[in-house]
Amino acid sequence: MSDKSSSEKLQKVLARAGIGSRREMEDWISKGRVTVDGKPATLGDRVSTTQAVRVDGHPVQLASEQQQICRVLAYHKPEGEICSRTDPEGRPTVFSRLPSIKGARWIAIGRLDINTSGLLLFTTDGELANRLMHPKFEVEREYAVRVFGDINDAMIQRLRTGVELEDGKANFKKIKALPGEGINRWFHVVLTEGRNREVRRMWESQGAVVSRLIRVRYGDLLLPKHIPAGGYAEYPLDEVNYLRKLVHLGPEEQTMVKSEDRTERRRRLASMKRAVRKHQIAEKTPAKKAEPKPKPAAKPQRAPVSKGKSTQRQPTGKKPTRQGQS
């Protein structure tokens, strides 16, 4: 559709704009959900940033690879939130807490189920998100997991070598027992893929139950201790480029993160904690239903006046005598 020297593949441009991964965009193009200059797009189309691209009829703001700034957020997900943008059941979603941005959108790098807390990464770069989630890059995810059950060495060895799940064999790359005794014990486990509820299902295959699950690391990035549950922080350029290098992407040269001194950082964190508390209170407070307006009081009705003779004695103005005669 345009000169190759100044254009890129459509799915790559859409992924960079934060619409979704390249694979998702290819699927959307095949289904006719994408148009270029008013015409249905096809796989293999190339576009430039000057062309009009729409997805489901909505315009997409395009930017070249040089113009688009790759941003990454660390979010401390609390239990009880889901990783979808919207939920028909009205449950809280992780996206409701993130800062608003123009010309892009936040994409979750992987998911955590509703009962799992900890480190969840977001980025504006769909290609970066897609690669970090892909099993071939073997990016490590570390979890702190509290397990209820009688755990022995044979179970741990099976989890290291691999156990059969419904969707294939799975194993922990690393597993370490933390100090403690009893049937409620903490372990640290490491995976290099992110299948649905994989950690829980692996322990369940050994007859144990996960009672607590926290993601504490993604790659070499640890869950920041200063971020409260429900809070977030944007990574500076060094951490962004660490992630890009991890999945064989070129370095980013710009950042939206401003340098701040200790006082500014303390103020920002205090403001974040207040916002998190306010958000938690709002979620726990049931919405008040609009009370119906009270109806105006009915006016007292006057007794009807009879046209015939009244049965009541009418005053005469004369003082009665002792005998009762007037």
Side-chain angles (χ1 to χ4, degrees):
M1 283 191 176
S2 59
D3 185 70
K4 287 189 177 182
S5 61
S6 60
S7 65
E8 295 179 281
K9 286 186 176 181
L10 178 57
Q11 60 267 30
K12 180 179 179 181
V13 175
L14 291 173
R16 188 169 58 242
I19 307 302
S21 68
R22 283 196 195 185
R23 187 172 299 176
E24 288 175 323
M25 295 303 97
E26 290 171 356
D27 182 55
W28 289 14
I29 292 169
S30 300
K31 291 179 178 178
R33 298 176 61 180
V34 183
T35 62
V36 178
D37 294 335
K39 299 178 181 179
T42 58
L43 286 175
D45 284 349
R46 300 178 70 89
V47 297
S48 65
T49 56
T50 59
Q51 292 181 272
V53 176
R54 290 177 177 265
V55 175
D56 294 334
H58 302 289
V60 178
Q61 185 173 346
L62 303 182
S64 68
E65 197 165 3
Q66 292 73 27
Q67 294 172 320
Q68 180 75 50
I69 298 177
C70 175
R71 301 172 65 182
V72 181
L73 281 185
Y75 177 66
H76 187 166
K77 178 191 176 298
E79 293 181 10
E81 291 185 351
I82 63 170
C83 291
S84 300
R85 293 186 183 274
T86 57
D87 181 52
E89 298 180 27
R91 294 172 295 182
T93 167
V94 294
F95 289 93
S96 65
R97 297 187 190 257
L98 304 184
S100 58
I101 50 177
K102 293 183 178 180
R105 69 172 185 168
W106 295 114
I107 303 169
I109 301 175
R111 289 171 174 259
L112 295 176
D113 66 50
I114 191 170
N115 295 318
T116 301
S117 61
L119 179 61
L120 183 60
L121 300 182
F122 291 86
T123 182
T124 54
D125 190 328
E127 182 62 21
L128 175 63
N130 187 42
R131 293 196 183 195
L132 285 170
M133 290 185 284
H134 203 288
K136 78 174 183 180
F137 291 101
E138 298 188 338
V139 180
E140 291 188 350
R141 292 93 153 156
E142 183 174 349
Y143 298 83
V145 52
R146 187 174 66 189
V147 182
F148 180 80
D150 188 10
I151 309 301
N152 55 47
D153 292 341
M155 290 181 182
I156 293 176
Q157 185 59 29
R158 284 194 292 271
L159 291 170
R160 280 198 182 104
T161 55
V163 296
E164 286 293 339
L165 303 177
E166 308 87 52
D167 51 357
K169 199 170 184 178
N171 71 291
F172 290 131
K173 185 175 180 181
K174 300 174 186 175
I175 180 169
K176 178 183 177 182
L178 300 186
E181 297 180 355
I183 58 173
N184 245 334
R185 295 183 59 188
W186 282 95
F187 293 84
H188 272 223
V189 299
V190 175
L191 289 170
T192 54
E193 58 182 1
R195 285 189 257 171
N196 183 40
R197 300 184 70 256
E198 189 172 6
V199 175
R200 296 181 187 274
R201 290 189 291 138
M202 288 177 68
W203 283 103
E204 288 168 1
S205 73
Q206 304 304 302
V209 177
V210 172
S211 56
R212 190 86 186 274
L213 187 59
I214 308 167
R215 184 192 280 166
V216 296
R217 179 170 65 87
Y218 202 106
D220 285 348
L221 301 181
L222 300 174
L223 175 64
K225 294 181 179 180
H226 65 276
I227 301 179
Y232 60 85
E234 185 166 352
Y235 284 117
L237 198 56
D238 287 347
E239 278 75 5
V240 171
N241 282 333
Y242 156 73
L243 291 174
R244 295 182 66 84
K245 184 178 180 180
L246 200 61
V247 292
H248 309 155
L249 287 175
E252 175 61 73
E253 298 179 354
Q254 300 181 66
T255 180
M256 301 290 286
V257 179
K258 297 179 180 179
S259 59
E260 56 185 9
D261 58 27
R262 185 179 298 178
T263 302
E264 291 171 330
R265 182 170 178 269
R266 190 183 298 117
R267 287 176 181 170
R268 179 175 58 81
L269 292 176
S271 175
M272 181 192 301
K273 289 178 181 178
R274 287 194 298 270
V276 168
R277 284 196 296 268
K278 185 177 180 181
H279 193 96
Q280 291 170 341
I281 292 171
E283 286 179 349
K284 292 178 181 179
T285 304
K288 293 183 179 180
K289 294 183 179 180
E291 297 180 359
K293 294 182 179 180
K295 295 182 179 179
K299 295 181 179 180
Q301 295 181 352
R302 294 181 180 180
V305 179
S306 176
K307 294 181 179 179
K309 294 183 179 180
S310 175
T311 57
Q312 294 183 349
R313 184 176 179 180
Q314 299 298 319
T316 61
K318 296 182 179 180
K319 189 176 180 179
T321 62
R322 286 185 180 181
Q323 288 78 16
Q325 298 176 352
S326 57

